[in-house]
Amino acid sequence: MPLTGTSGVEDRSSSTYNAVFTFDAPVTSGEVTVLSGTATVGTISFSGNSMTAQLTGITSAEVVTLHVQNINGDGLPHGDVPFGFLTADVNANRVVDRPDQQQINTDKNQPVSATNFRDDINLSGLVDRPDVQSVQTNRGHSIP
């Protein structure tokens, strides 16, 4: 997700998401809190220059803003990062609409690849009927 401007959009449906923050130097500690949205921050882990925060409780259409602070015990804020979540918005235009349906129908029954991974809404490894149904169920939903 970008650090400034409009958030990116995660279109896949999951009970747990990972927010990964990458820094210019190794990170061994830090805090992540929710500024807006329904997310709950769970386990935070560290590996090299990355910090990963598990997120749960996210709805199918919202922008969650996370506040990152106290990296390596410095006591400082390190930014607020917006994360967009919109289930079935496979083309990431911030609304579930006809083009999403067309894209899913085009890729139906194909295994997930680097070019169609956003179409696998239910994370089954295949663009399948439940993915088509997810677009139908969420059609008309949008995020700002």
Side-chain angles (χ1 to χ4, degrees), residues 11-12 88-91 96-110 116-122 126-136:
D11 75 307
R12 292 159 294 178
D89 181 18
V90 297
N91 64 4
V96 182
D97 53 10
R98 185 173 175 78
D100 297 306
Q101 188 76 50
Q102 292 168 329
Q103 185 171 330
I104 289 286
N105 287 336
T106 297
D107 291 340
K108 188 175 177 190
N109 298 321
Q110 292 183 18
N116 72 359
F117 69 95
R118 290 184 60 87
D119 298 358
D120 183 22
I121 300 162
N122 66 352
L126 183 71
V127 181
D128 53 13
R129 182 172 171 77
D131 298 315
V132 172
Q133 291 170 328
S134 187
V135 173
Q136 293 167 345

Side-chain angles (χ1 to χ4, degrees), residues 2-140:
L3 293 177
T4 59
T6 305
S7 70
V9 178
E10 173 56 64
D11 75 307
R12 292 159 294 178
S13 180
S14 182
S15 60
T16 303
Y17 295 90
N18 290 321
V20 180
F21 303 91
T22 304
F23 299 89
D24 293 333
V27 59
T28 57
S29 66
E31 299 169 12
V32 177
T33 55
V34 178
L35 290 182
S36 66
T38 65
T40 299
V41 177
T43 303
I44 299 174
S45 59
F46 306 91
S47 177
N49 292 18
S50 296
M51 175 175 71
T52 302
Q54 287 187 344
L55 306 175
T56 58
I58 295 170
T59 66
S60 64
E62 70 173 310
V63 176
V64 173
T65 302
L66 301 177
H67 177 71
V68 179
Q69 64 187 16
N70 202 24
I71 300 303
N72 293 334
D74 67 7
L76 300 173
H78 287 268
D80 302 333
V81 183
F83 289 80
F85 295 91
L86 183 56
T87 300
D89 181 18
V90 297
N91 64 4
N93 72 345
R94 306 181 84 75
V95 63
V96 182
D97 53 10
R98 185 173 175 78
D100 297 306
Q101 188 76 50
Q102 292 168 329
Q103 185 171 330
I104 289 286
N105 287 336
T106 297
D107 291 340
K108 188 175 177 190
N109 298 321
Q110 292 183 18
V112 173
S113 69
T115 59
N116 72 359
F117 69 95
R118 290 184 60 87
D119 298 358
D120 183 22
I121 300 162
N122 66 352
L123 304 171
S124 67
L126 183 71
V127 181
D128 53 13
R129 182 172 171 77
D131 298 315
V132 172
Q133 291 170 328
S134 187
V135 173
Q136 293 167 345
T137 299
N138 290 284
R139 193 166 180 164

